């Protein structure tokens, strides 16, 4: 349904390099240029510009890319609706904390309807946004930051970012001075994870870093982290949902409160509104 030159535009938008775009699409570089020039003439705007040897997107390219993504998502949804089967397919993404500790009750309610079918992907924010861009997810539940100018979104809920320790730990249920936690073993996620980034930002704001702790332990799985914390190997910092276990307790840092958003993120509001209502029902 889409002009093949639109796919050239989307590839160049992603690659930001005419040679790489030509290689990806098995085209000549002049062919890529002709496709872009055709679209620029059609819409009467400049889509890309060079400053020296660096290629930049124009504001018109940003608008066109968002419009095309939305239309492609809606076309995929139309194709599904035109099928004769009676199954209702929902394709949902979730970031790690939400996928492990928040989304299960909603997914279970949805799957209790015999005609419903669910594809659930738990991954990092970057991967989920890429899947939204390509129309492979109806929406994603994302914790923390993303470019709100490029995606539609709706608040799911706000969540506190707290200290978590074993229920028997001396910090349990207490308000602790920041300097006091450095005598503990800190168990944290791998570099690049959202929860680690939040922790590092809080520490940096007060002139500290994770190296200030007596020792650290890095684990890339929250279920394992919870087990280590429950066994009193160390403490961790995460969203409060992670602490919903009677073996664990929450503690707070004096004068520090961190609250982040959990958002539904999507490409097409027209599609997502129906899908989200179905998932929340």
């Amino acid at each position: 349904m889409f002009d093949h030159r639109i796919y050239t535009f989307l590839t160049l938008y992603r690659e930001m390099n005419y040679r790489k775009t030509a290689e990806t699409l098995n085209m000549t570089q002049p062919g890529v240029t002709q496709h872009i020039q055709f679209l620029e003439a059609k819409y009467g705007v400049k889509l890309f510009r060079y400053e020296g040897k660096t290629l930049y997107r124009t504001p018109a390219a940003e608008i066109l890319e968002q419009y095309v993504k939305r239309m492609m998502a809606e076309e995929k949804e139309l194709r599904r609706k035109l099928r004769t089967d009676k199954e209702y397919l929902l394709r949902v993404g979730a970031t790690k904390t939400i996928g492990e500790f928040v989304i299960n009750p909603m997914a279970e309610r949805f799957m209790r309807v015999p005609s419903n079918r669910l594809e659930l992907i738990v991954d990092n924010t970057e991967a989920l946004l890429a899947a939204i861009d390509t129309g492979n997810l109806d929406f994603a539940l994302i914790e923390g930051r993303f470019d709100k100018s490029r995606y539609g979104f709706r608040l799911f809920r706000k969540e506190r970012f707290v200290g978590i320790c074993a229920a028997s730990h001396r910090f349990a249920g207490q308000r602790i001075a920041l300097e006091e936690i450095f005598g503990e073993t800190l168990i944290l996620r791998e570099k690049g994870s959202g929860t680690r980034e939040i922790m590092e930002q809080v520490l940096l704001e007060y002139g500290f870093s994770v190296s200030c702790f007596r020792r650290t332990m890095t684990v890339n799985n929250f279920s394992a982290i919870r087990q280590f914390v429950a066994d009193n190997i160390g403490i961790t910092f995460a969203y409060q949902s992670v602490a919903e276990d009677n073996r664990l307790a929450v503690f707070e840092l004096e004068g520090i409160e961190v609250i982040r958003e959990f958002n539904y993120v999507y490409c097409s509001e027209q599609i997502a509104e129906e899908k989200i209502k179905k998932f929340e029902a």
Side-chain angles (χ1 to χ4, degrees):
M1 188 176 291
F2 286 93
D3 189 306
H4 62 285
R5 285 163 287 216
I6 286 292
Y7 296 101
T8 304
F9 162 75
L10 290 174
T11 306
L12 180 59
Y13 187 96
R14 182 180 69 249
E15 298 289 349
M16 292 304 292
N17 183 290
Y18 277 87
R19 179 183 56 79
K20 288 182 180 179
T21 298
E23 290 173 356
T24 300
L25 298 175
N26 196 26
M27 295 174 60
T28 64
Q29 194 166 321
V32 173
T33 301
Q34 288 173 8
H35 283 192
I36 299 304
Q37 288 175 342
F38 173 87
L39 293 173
E40 290 177 332
K42 178 178 180 179
Y43 294 113
V45 294
K46 195 72 176 171
L47 296 172
F48 300 92
R49 58 181 174 80
Y50 275 102
E51 289 187 9
K53 294 184 178 180
T54 304
L55 185 65
Y56 291 92
R57 308 177 183 106
T58 67
E62 301 278 356
I63 293 170
L64 180 59
E65 188 260 355
Q66 292 179 41
Y67 174 81
V68 169
K69 283 194 309 181
R70 186 169 66 251
M71 292 301 101
M72 292 177 77
E74 290 176 2
E75 184 187 13
K76 283 190 176 183
E77 179 64 13
L78 174 62
R79 289 177 183 273
R80 285 193 294 272
K81 285 183 175 179
L82 290 175
R83 293 173 188 160
T84 56
D85 62 66
K86 296 181 179 180
E87 287 188 339
Y88 189 93
L89 172 63
L90 193 57
R91 303 163 308 153
V92 179
T95 44
K96 299 294 179 69
T97 300
I98 297 174
E100 289 190 50
F101 303 105
V102 176
I103 207 171
N104 280 6
M106 301 165 74
E108 289 173 6
R109 280 199 309 272
F110 178 79
M111 288 304 294
R112 292 191 189 283
V113 178
S115 60
N116 286 351
R117 189 158 63 90
L118 177 66
E119 293 177 3
L120 175 61
I121 297 173
V122 178
D123 211 327
N124 60 45
T125 298
E126 183 180 359
L128 296 178
L129 293 177
I132 290 173
D133 287 343
T134 56
N136 292 321
L137 286 178
D138 297 317
F139 62 84
L141 274 161
I142 290 178
E143 61 200 69
R145 296 178 298 179
F146 61 95
D147 187 349
K148 290 184 175 179
S149 69
R150 290 196 60 199
Y151 298 92
F153 63 94
R154 176 159 74 79
L155 181 67
F156 170 56
R157 75 187 196 199
K158 293 184 177 181
E159 185 91 355
R160 294 171 66 231
F161 190 81
V162 297
I164 302 174
C165 60
S168 59
H169 195 283
R170 63 190 179 92
F171 286 177
Q174 301 299 309
R175 188 176 292 273
I176 307 298
L178 177 61
E179 290 81 358
E180 193 173 349
I181 66 176
F182 296 133
E184 302 291 322
T185 295
L186 175 65
I187 305 174
L188 70 169
R189 287 280 305 280
E190 72 282 4
K191 288 185 177 180
S193 70
T195 51
R196 179 169 180 148
E197 181 183 343
I198 294 172
M199 183 61 190
E200 289 176 335
Q201 286 175 347
V202 171
L203 291 173
L204 183 62
E205 185 176 343
Y206 290 88
F208 299 104
S209 72
V210 294
S211 63
C212 295
F213 283 84
R214 181 172 65 86
R215 63 175 180 170
T216 60
M217 178 179 180
T218 302
V219 182
N220 70 349
N221 179 278
F222 265 128
S223 295
I225 290 175
R226 290 209 308 180
Q227 186 62 54
F228 286 126
V229 172
D231 291 340
N232 232 338
I233 302 300
I235 64 173
T236 194
F237 287 83
Y239 290 107
Q240 191 160 355
S241 298
V242 176
E244 292 178 0
D245 184 317
N246 57 17
R247 302 172 301 164
L248 303 174
V250 167
F251 66 91
E252 298 179 8
L253 298 177
E254 288 182 355
I256 301 174
E257 183 178 36
V258 181
I259 299 174
R260 291 290 189 271
E261 294 181 350
F262 289 178
N263 282 294
Y264 291 107
V265 182
Y266 43 82
C267 182
S268 170
E269 185 172 359
Q270 181 177 337
I271 296 173
E273 184 178 359
E274 173 203 329
K275 300 283 186 176
I276 292 171
K277 284 181 180 177
K278 194 85 171 178
F279 192 58
E280 290 181 332

